[in-house]
Amino acid sequence: MEKFCDLNVICTTEETEHDYINQSANLGYKTIAFNYVVDMSKALVKSKITLPEIKKIQTARIKVLYRATLICSDSNHLRFLRSPEFNKFDLIAIRPKTESILSQSIIDFPNCFQIISLEFSKRLAYRLKHSFLHPCKLNNLVFEICYSCAIKNSSACRNIIANSRDLNWTSRGRSFYYIFWC
C-alpha cells in the first residue's frame, strides 16, 4: 500500500464516515477502509447470509475501501466466502475461532479473502504450524493482530507478545505482514 493507511475504521453513520475521511486526509492518510464486522453465527438466517448495506463514497483526496471481517466459529461458515454478497467489499478478512477453521480456510479458500485476523489477547488453544502457514506466503495472505486490549490488561499484553512471537517464529519471519490495529 502507499504511505499511511488505516484498514480498520468502524463507523456507524454516513456523516461519521465523511468526517473520518476529512480527518484522515488532513492527517496524511492516503487509504482508509471502513470495516464491517459480521459474526457469521448471527448473520446466517435459513442458510442465507445478511450483510449490512454499504454506500460507496468517492473522493479525490483519499482512497476509500470497504472491508468485511467475518467471525467464523463453524466450518460451514466458510462456504459463504464464495457467495456474491461479498463482491461489494474491497477487502475480506476472516477471524477463525479454531485451528480446524484456520487450516480449512487457508487450504480450501485461499483466494476468497486477503486478511487473517487473529485474536491474540488470550492464549491460543492450538499451536501455529508452519505446514498451514506456508500456503499463506504463497497466496499473499496478511496477518492482522489486534492489540487494543493490551493497553488495559497486562495479561492480555503478555499473551499478545507471546502469540506474536510464536507467529513470527513459525512463519520464520519471511514474507508476512502484520497489521496492528486498536
Side-chain angles (χ1 to χ4, degrees):
M1 293 243 162
E2 49 198 32
K3 296 195 179 182
F4 296 110
C5 61
D6 187 354
L7 298 179
N8 187 33
V9 179
I10 300 173
C11 290
T12 54
T13 63
E14 195 171 333
E15 295 89 25
T16 311
E17 288 180 1
H18 286 290
D19 292 341
Y20 197 86
I21 289 171
N22 291 332
Q23 182 182 8
S24 298
N26 291 337
L27 290 173
Y29 284 95
K30 298 298 180 190
T31 305
I32 62 170
F34 290 110
N35 189 10
Y36 295 89
V37 179
V38 179
D39 190 351
M40 294 297 284
S41 60
K42 296 175 184 172
L44 290 176
V45 179
K46 296 182 182 178
S47 298
K48 289 190 104 178
I49 189 164
T50 56
L51 294 174
E53 281 296 317
I54 62 171
K55 294 180 181 176
K56 294 213 173 194
I57 300 172
Q58 300 293 329
T59 178
R61 294 177 64 193
I62 194 168
K63 185 176 182 180
V64 179
L65 302 174
Y66 292 89
R67 168 187 163 174
T69 301
L70 310 175
I71 301 173
C72 299
S73 57
D74 186 14
S75 60
N76 291 330
H77 296 160
L78 295 174
R79 64 185 171 98
F80 289 99
L81 285 171
R82 292 192 175 121
S83 66
E85 286 88 4
F86 291 111
N87 291 341
K88 60 185 172 182
F89 292 102
D90 301 310
L91 295 171
I92 297 176
I94 62 160
R95 180 172 278 191
K97 293 289 187 181
T98 63
E99 178 185 17
S100 63
I101 296 172
L102 175 63
S103 178
Q104 184 180 359
S105 62
I106 292 170
I107 293 169
D108 296 340
F109 301 93
N111 298 324
C112 297
F113 60 93
Q114 295 83 20
I115 300 171
I116 300 171
S117 179
L118 297 173
E119 181 63 45
F120 276 172
S121 63
K122 302 173 196 135
R123 292 297 286 174
L124 291 177
Y126 53 90
R127 293 194 46 88
L128 296 170
K129 299 175 191 153
H130 181 73
S131 60
F132 63 79
L133 291 181
H134 183 68
C136 295
K137 185 170 105 175
L138 298 175
N139 294 312
N140 295 325
L141 296 176
V142 177
F143 284 93
E144 174 181 70
I145 300 168
C146 175
Y147 69 89
S148 61
C149 53
I151 298 169
K152 300 175 189 171
N153 188 346
S154 63
S155 65
C157 180
R158 193 170 41 252
N159 289 332
I160 288 170
I161 292 170
N163 289 328
S164 299
R165 185 190 64 226
D166 290 344
L167 178 63
N168 190 38
W169 182 80
T170 305
S171 67
R172 298 183 179 131
R174 291 187 224 129
S175 301
F176 285 92
Y177 301 99
Y178 304 100
I179 303 169
F180 296 95
W181 56 273
C182 290

